[in-house]
Amino acid sequence: MASLVMDDFHFSPIGYVESCFKQKFAIPRQPGLAPHAKATIKLTENFTPETVDGLELSTHIWVQFVFHQTMEEGWSPRVRPPRLGGNRKMGVFATRSTHRPNPIGMSVVTLDGIDVGGNNVRLHVSGVDLLDGTPVLDIKPYLPYVDSVRTASNKLALMAPSLLVVKFTDKAMGQIESMQQGQDTDLLALISEILAQDPRPAYQKMDEKRTYGVTLLDFELKWRYFIHGEEASVEVLELIPHG
Amino acid sequence: MASLVMDDFHFSPIGYVESCFKQKFAIPRQPGLAPHAKATIKLTENFTPETVDGLELSTHIWVQFVFHQTMEEGWSPRVRPPRLGGNRKMGVFATRSTHRPNPIGMSVVTLDGIDVGGNNVRLHVSGVDLLDGTPVLDIKPYLPYVDSVRTASNKLALMAPSLLVVKFTDKAMGQIESMQQGQDTDLLALISEILAQDPRPAYQKMDEKRTYGVTLLDFELKWRYFIHGEEASVEVLELIPHG
């Protein structure tokens, strides 16, 4: 053991995330669950194109980042993971909760492209679960022979919830069609992926009378739930452009 | 984008690593390459047994940590990854180099057991590439459905070096046999795993006349190389117990 006790470390972001997700609510609970969710990681001006030379050899990258929006809220020794229906408490280190002693997240995302023009290197990524404005601490290549552990298992994964069917009103379909023009993201796919996973906290009762909403890209997405016996579905009501 | 610019984050370790690796030299270049390499992560007293409740459901865990020994050395925009024979330079973010703008490492390791007796929670892990004394920032469960990306590839992985044959002198075999008693780690397996990967820096010429050494557990390991045409092998000479 080193004789020097190192008990305080300072880190500065290497860049920030520009994401389709403007609010924590409705962000997929893990990366990869919404393949059409795109983001750009904009490195600060300190980081020249040569710092990412060779990164294009990787199809996927690790993003290490700060859970900046929830960090002031602190953490609890035990949390209720949403995937467990909010019924079981688990130790914070046994979960991927955003509320952690050191609020550092890690997400594997698809690397779609690298843009080295201009003053800032930009990494175009998808399958993200990253909030807009997220400070990024590090980027690493995903190495399948190291990071993809064939023998690994996690008993909690067996309890994953099933996906909801997502329907669209005629109004919503028309809006998506017209808003799709000039839009880089496949809106129909992205909205379906996000709502199929049911963004509501699991401990919250599904309310058929309520209209739910969240800001996504540059619009407000509105939807409601239908309960049919043991099954539930989602209906997208409308998309309200901002500003 | 949040209006608040967050450009400095402080993190304190949640614990420290007690590892068989006492020097950076001869540490496997990635986790999992030496399955018999064991370590214990000792959490600080702030972290009660309930913080790891449910972690036993995971066969593997992520350790996020600080590259404490090399952090004072800073970083360069381009580095020579050892797996590429030291011949090709890559951008720092395209590698898993320990010399990074924010020196945060992440390793997936096998979780062998959790010990909640005493004042400190201890996680027993193996397949480590962690230096003794490493400050740990976070522990997370490895989630195969998220972290194991089937579609990922990395073109560099194709250029992985082959393993060396490891032989032992009679003297070394006798020492291993007597030192194995009361030792939790399989010494023969551990030494074979470490030396088969050839810990020398790739840019260094293999020197048949030289005796190489490194501290491992509580002994000094000594070995040399033999070159036969295009092939090379390693011979373990002796193990010298410390103090």
Side-chain angles (χ1 to χ4, degrees), chain B residues 15-79:
Chain B
Y16 295 88
V17 172
E18 296 172 357
S19 168
C20 59
F21 298 116
K22 311 299 180 185
Q23 294 179 250
K24 191 186 172 209
F25 179 52
I27 293 185
R29 295 187 179 110
Q30 298 297 341
L33 299 180
H36 288 85
K38 295 185 182 192
T40 297
I41 299 168
K42 185 178 167 184
L43 301 189
T44 66
E45 294 191 9
N46 307 334
F47 300 101
T48 57
E50 62 181 351
T51 63
V52 295
D53 179 25
L55 192 58
E56 71 281 356
L57 296 172
S58 297
T59 59
H60 293 70
I61 59 174
W62 285 108
V63 183
Q64 286 183 295
F65 61 94
V66 180
F67 291 117
H68 67 297
Q69 202 188 55
T70 53
M71 64 183 287
E72 299 298 336
E73 296 166 14
W75 64 282
S76 300
R78 303 218 298 165
V79 298

Side-chain angles (χ1 to χ4, degrees), chain A:
Chain A
M1 180 76 76
S3 56
L4 180 63
V5 172
M6 298 197 248
D7 59 4
D8 185 27
F9 297 96
H10 290 239
F11 299 111
S12 294
I14 61 161
Y16 295 87
V17 173
E18 296 171 357
S19 168
C20 58
F21 298 116
K22 310 299 180 186
Q23 293 179 250
K24 192 186 173 210
F25 179 53
I27 293 184
R29 294 187 179 109
Q30 299 296 343
L33 298 181
H36 288 85
K38 295 187 181 189
T40 297
I41 300 167
K42 184 177 168 184
L43 302 189
T44 67
E45 295 192 8
N46 307 334
F47 300 102
T48 56
E50 63 181 348
T51 63
V52 295
D53 179 25
L55 191 58
E56 72 282 357
L57 296 172
S58 298
T59 58
H60 292 71
I61 59 174
W62 284 109
V63 183
Q64 286 181 293
F65 60 94
V66 180
F67 291 116
H68 68 297
Q69 201 187 57
T70 54
M71 64 183 289
E72 299 299 335
E73 296 166 13
W75 62 282
S76 300
R78 302 219 299 165
V79 297
R80 296 181 194 274
R83 281 169 58 84
L84 303 186
N87 299 318
R88 177 168 171 181
K89 279 201 170 188
M90 304 270 289
V92 62
F93 295 128
T95 76
R96 300 284 273 253
S97 169
T98 60
H99 293 79
R100 317 185 68 78
N102 289 314
I104 305 174
M106 44 178 269
S107 291
V108 53
V109 298
T110 303
L111 179 62
D112 296 322
I114 301 174
D115 180 0
V116 297
N119 293 325
N120 299 83
V121 170
R122 287 164 189 268
L123 307 179
H124 300 292
V125 295
S126 58
V128 303
D129 60 347
L130 300 166
L131 184 65
D132 196 46
T134 293
V136 174
L137 297 177
D138 203 4
I139 298 290
K140 293 180 169 78
Y142 184 90
L143 301 179
Y145 79 101
V146 176
D147 299 320
S148 186
V149 181
R150 283 161 199 268
T151 56
S153 67
N154 183 296
K155 296 202 177 117
L156 294 183
L158 299 175
M159 304 177 225
S162 53
L163 298 179
L164 301 183
V165 171
V166 181
K167 298 166 186 166
F168 295 79
T169 60
D170 289 345
K171 182 179 183 184
M173 280 304 285
Q175 289 171 320
I176 288 172
E177 210 166 299
S178 71
M179 290 169 69
Q180 185 61 59
Q181 294 175 356
Q183 173 61 259
D184 196 32
T185 297
D186 183 331
L187 296 178
L188 192 66
L190 177 62
I191 294 168
S192 301
E193 288 164 358
I194 291 170
L195 295 184
Q197 298 165 54
D198 193 5
R200 292 173 317 109
Y203 52 79
Q204 195 184 81
K205 201 171 172 322
M206 199 176 266
D207 184 352
E208 287 187 285
K209 297 203 186 81
R210 187 173 152 191
T211 297
Y212 294 78
V214 73
T215 299
L216 194 69
L217 292 161
D218 55 355
F219 58 87
E220 180 82 6
L221 178 67
K222 297 286 190 187
W223 72 92
R224 61 178 176 168
Y225 293 95
F226 290 97
I227 304 171
H228 346 260
E230 295 286 298
E231 304 262 301
S233 64
V234 180
E235 185 178 52
V236 178
L237 300 173
E238 59 177 332
L239 287 70
I240 307 171
H242 275 187

Side-chain angles (χ1 to χ4, degrees), chain B:
Chain B
M1 179 77 77
S3 57
L4 181 63
V5 173
M6 299 198 246
D7 59 3
D8 186 27
F9 297 97
H10 290 238
F11 299 110
S12 293
I14 62 162
Y16 295 88
V17 172
E18 296 172 357
S19 168
C20 59
F21 298 116
K22 311 299 180 185
Q23 294 179 250
K24 191 186 172 209
F25 179 52
I27 293 185
R29 295 187 179 110
Q30 298 297 341
L33 299 180
H36 288 85
K38 295 185 182 192
T40 297
I41 299 168
K42 185 178 167 184
L43 301 189
T44 66
E45 294 191 9
N46 307 334
F47 300 101
T48 57
E50 62 181 351
T51 63
V52 295
D53 179 25
L55 192 58
E56 71 281 356
L57 296 172
S58 297
T59 59
H60 293 70
I61 59 174
W62 285 108
V63 183
Q64 286 183 295
F65 61 94
V66 180
F67 291 117
H68 67 297
Q69 202 188 55
T70 53
M71 64 183 287
E72 299 298 336
E73 296 166 14
W75 64 282
S76 300
R78 303 218 298 165
V79 298
R80 295 181 194 275
R83 281 170 57 85
L84 303 187
N87 298 321
R88 176 166 173 181
K89 279 201 169 187
M90 302 269 290
V92 62
F93 295 129
T95 76
R96 300 283 274 252
S97 168
T98 60
H99 294 79
R100 317 185 70 76
N102 289 312
I104 304 174
M106 46 178 268
S107 290
V108 53
V109 299
T110 302
L111 178 62
D112 296 322
I114 301 174
D115 180 359
V116 297
N119 292 327
N120 299 82
V121 171
R122 287 164 189 270
L123 307 179
H124 301 293
V125 294
S126 59
V128 303
D129 60 348
L130 301 166
L131 183 65
D132 196 44
T134 293
V136 175
L137 297 177
D138 202 4
I139 299 289
K140 293 178 167 77
Y142 184 89
L143 302 179
Y145 78 101
V146 176
D147 299 322
S148 186
V149 182
R150 283 161 199 268
T151 54
S153 67
N154 183 297
K155 294 201 178 117
L156 293 183
L158 299 175
M159 304 178 224
S162 53
L163 298 178
L164 300 184
V165 171
V166 181
K167 298 166 186 167
F168 294 80
T169 60
D170 288 345
K171 183 179 182 183
M173 280 305 285
Q175 289 170 321
I176 288 172
E177 210 167 297
S178 71
M179 289 170 69
Q180 185 62 59
Q181 293 172 355
Q183 172 60 257
D184 195 33
T185 297
D186 183 333
L187 296 178
L188 193 65
L190 177 63
I191 293 168
S192 301
E193 288 163 358
I194 291 170
L195 295 183
Q197 297 164 54
D198 193 5
R200 291 173 318 107
Y203 53 79
Q204 197 182 81
K205 200 171 174 319
M206 201 177 264
D207 183 353
E208 288 188 285
K209 296 203 185 81
R210 187 173 151 192
T211 297
Y212 293 77
V214 74
T215 299
L216 194 68
L217 291 161
D218 55 354
F219 58 86
E220 181 80 7
L221 178 67
K222 298 284 191 188
W223 72 93
R224 61 176 175 168
Y225 294 94
F226 290 98
I227 304 170
H228 344 263
E230 296 287 297
E231 305 262 301
S233 64
V234 179
E235 185 178 55
V236 178
L237 300 172
E238 59 177 330
L239 288 67
I240 307 169
H242 276 187

